[in-house]
Amino acid sequence: QKQQKQQQQQQRTMGCVLTKDNVGGNQLAASTGKDWSEFLDKVEAVRKDHPDNRCVKYLTREIFNSYTPKQQEVLYRCTKTGVENPDSGLGAYAMQPGDYETFAKFFEPLIRDYHNADKNSKHVTDWDASDVGDNGVLDVTKLGLDELSMRVRVGRNLAAYPLPGAMTKEDRLNLEKDMVKAFEKLMEDPNYGGTYYSLTPDTKYSINEAKYQELVKKHIMFKDMAADSYLASAGIAADWPYGRGAYVSGDGQFIVWVGEEDQLRIMCMKKGTKLNEVFDRLNEGLKTVESIDGIEFATNEDYGYVTSCPSNLGTGMRASVHIKIPNLTKGGTDEKAKEICGPLGLSVRGTGGEHTPIGEDGTVDISPRARLFIQEKEIIAFLYSGIEKLMEAEKASAE
């Protein structure tokens, strides 16, 4: 009886435990009263019209019907956004840290396709950048640049909770309470200080709408996710604004978002000339946060740090700079910049993030695309070498 109770608890917690009860799709539908044929028909229709949508590419009837009724419910939630948003390039979000193992038949080929990796690739974490650049120093003044706006962020999720797409309102509030305890320890640390801004009504750290908009404008707080159809379909935007907020250090350079696409988005940003400064501080900040009692980040043996979206698995890192390239952005277009950055493994965005316009002075946001099967120190090194080659192209286009 005790063993049965433990199994039931495990199923409630994970929502996707593997069993041996793999039977045909019709039998599954009959046993649960759930008929998935309409959903699977739509998957096939989207696959036909949108061949670049990886979700529907790898979600076959055979794979879907190989899972138990309970697992099918979870796999449906993982893939719903890719079906409802046919233009998705990836189109899937994990609901639990264990989903990448439970639904490996679906997720593994999708992940390796997206990250252009072979079946034997395994993620390795390495933050030691002492052998990068000039003994770990990456000084952009040597590339002829002055002070840049630099930001490095990672996505993290706590092992004790479901991922955001499957979190209940209670989960979100409890996660925020756990993180507030951790933030209060940071506030007591003279190396961090600062405060927490909560969007949850009627808490010790709650803020009003005016303060929220002020923080959004400064890029310190994230926007309401309900407007994002991809996140809304995945359940990630649910229960807004409960369990959402941001910790900001005293100097404003170390920030932790709570309750976005991942439970935590931890970042370091500053204006300066040495890329390694934001990288090193973020590394120290992550060590400090995870050393606090009750904070354990979810990881996967093959994919490193677990994130909601498979695109961010591994390092979960995005390292970026704002850089002026007026010659490569003449006419207000970034097409030429993208032509150069693409082969370098760099993404080009507007200064306000993805799908935003470039700056009037030709300022763009540059970042390495790779997240998985790459070491953290390699990302910052690629960013530096990418900036160097981009500036060479900018200079040549002026001649």
Side-chain angles (χ1 to χ4, degrees):
Q1 188 175 4
K2 184 178 179 182
Q3 186 179 11
Q4 184 180 16
K5 188 174 181 181
Q6 288 175 335
Q7 289 174 341
Q8 290 172 342
Q9 178 63 35
Q10 185 183 23
Q11 289 174 343
R12 281 196 299 272
T13 306
M14 295 302 293
C16 54
V17 179
L18 281 170
T19 74
K20 296 179 181 178
D21 302 325
N22 290 333
V23 292
N26 292 335
Q27 289 172 279
L28 288 173
S31 65
T32 62
K34 185 76 174 180
D35 184 356
W36 295 106
S37 58
E38 184 177 346
F39 171 68
L40 294 172
D41 286 345
K42 190 171 183 181
V43 168
E44 291 184 350
V46 173
R47 185 187 304 136
K48 182 179 178 182
D49 296 334
H50 298 271
D52 294 332
N53 182 319
R54 291 178 179 83
C55 172
V56 297
K57 178 180 178 180
Y58 294 106
L59 185 64
T60 65
R61 286 181 188 269
E62 181 182 6
I63 285 176
F64 190 87
N65 289 335
S66 71
Y67 290 103
T68 66
K70 193 178 186 80
Q71 291 167 340
Q72 287 184 328
E73 290 281 354
V74 179
L75 185 53
Y76 164 72
R77 294 179 69 182
C78 290
T79 56
K80 181 170 173 274
T81 185
V83 180
E84 292 184 350
N85 299 281
D87 61 339
S88 299
L90 199 153
Y93 289 92
M95 296 291 121
Q96 304 279 351
D99 285 353
Y100 291 113
E101 295 175 3
T102 301
F103 302 113
K105 284 181 286 187
F106 166 70
F107 273 119
E108 183 174 4
L110 178 151
I111 289 166
R112 295 187 184 277
D113 177 353
Y114 182 86
H115 292 280
N116 194 28
D118 63 51
K119 63 180 181 179
N120 297 316
S121 297
K122 191 170 182 176
H123 187 76
V124 176
T125 296
D126 188 353
W127 284 80
D128 184 3
S130 58
D131 59 346
V132 173
D134 185 9
N135 294 317
V137 177
L138 296 167
D139 190 346
V140 298
T141 61
K142 293 186 177 181
L143 307 181
L145 292 168
D146 296 322
E147 187 178 74
L148 298 177
S149 175
M150 309 178 293
R151 177 185 293 220
V152 184
R153 64 90 168 146
V154 295
R156 293 289 186 267
N157 293 279
L158 300 191
Y161 287 92
L163 295 175
M167 293 180 82
T168 63
K169 182 178 178 180
E170 184 179 12
D171 286 332
R172 298 184 201 280
L173 292 172
N174 286 336
L175 172 73
E176 184 180 37
K177 289 175 184 175
D178 286 347
M179 291 311 303
V180 164
K181 293 175 185 175
F183 296 146
E184 287 177 341
K185 291 186 178 179
L186 290 182
M187 292 175 207
E188 295 169 0
D189 185 334
N191 292 316
Y192 292 92
T195 191
Y196 179 66
Y197 301 104
S198 177
L199 304 188
T200 302
D202 305 320
T203 73
K204 179 181 177 182
Y205 296 102
S206 295
I207 58 174
N208 59 28
E209 180 65 17
K211 183 64 177 178
Y212 169 64
Q213 293 300 336
E214 176 193 327
L215 294 173
V216 168
K217 192 173 182 180
K218 291 179 179 178
H219 303 291
I220 290 173
M221 183 74 79
F222 51 98
K223 298 177 182 178
D224 182 351
M225 298 179 291
D228 188 318
S229 62
Y230 305 94
L231 298 181
S233 291
I236 293 172
D239 306 310
W240 181 271
Y242 292 92
R244 271 74 174 201
Y247 162 78
V248 184
S249 65
D251 62 6
Q253 295 181 5
F254 184 71
I255 298 171
V256 183
W257 287 353
V258 179
E260 210 235 15
E261 181 180 303
D262 289 303
Q263 293 166 8
L264 306 174
R265 284 285 171 92
I266 305 173
M267 65 195 80
C268 185
M269 61 182 191
K270 67 175 292 187
K271 289 186 176 180
T273 60
K274 296 180 176 65
L275 290 181
N276 55 288
E277 290 180 347
V278 285
F279 179 81
D280 293 340
R281 184 172 184 188
L282 178 61
N283 186 23
E284 287 304 314
L286 286 166
K287 290 177 183 176
T288 301
V289 171
E290 196 167 20
S291 70
I292 297 171
D293 289 342
I295 305 298
E296 180 189 352
F297 298 145
T299 58
N300 178 283
E301 187 177 342
D302 292 326
Y303 304 136
Y305 287 102
V306 170
T307 53
S308 291
C309 183
S311 66
N312 287 319
L313 285 167
T315 61
M317 178 183 286
R318 183 173 185 272
S320 66
V321 296
H322 287 179
I323 188 169
K324 290 182 183 178
I325 46 174
N327 297 317
L328 293 175
T329 55
K330 278 181 181 176
T333 176
D334 58 8
E335 286 183 16
K336 192 178 288 186
K338 286 182 175 178
E339 285 177 13
I340 294 166
C341 287
L344 300 177
L346 298 176
S347 294
V348 181
R349 300 182 180 184
T351 54
E354 200 167 11
H355 309 304
T356 62
I358 60 178
E360 291 182 5
D361 60 354
T363 300
V364 294
D365 179 291
I366 303 292
S367 66
R369 284 195 299 269
R371 306 276 191 275
L372 181 62
F373 307 127
I374 183 173
Q375 296 171 4
E376 286 80 357
K377 69 176 184 179
E378 291 176 323
I379 291 179
I380 203 74
F382 284 156
L383 178 59
Y384 186 77
S385 61
I387 293 170
E388 182 176 19
K389 292 181 175 112
L390 186 63
M391 293 314 297
E392 289 172 358
E394 167 70 9
K395 185 178 179 181
S397 66
E399 296 173 354

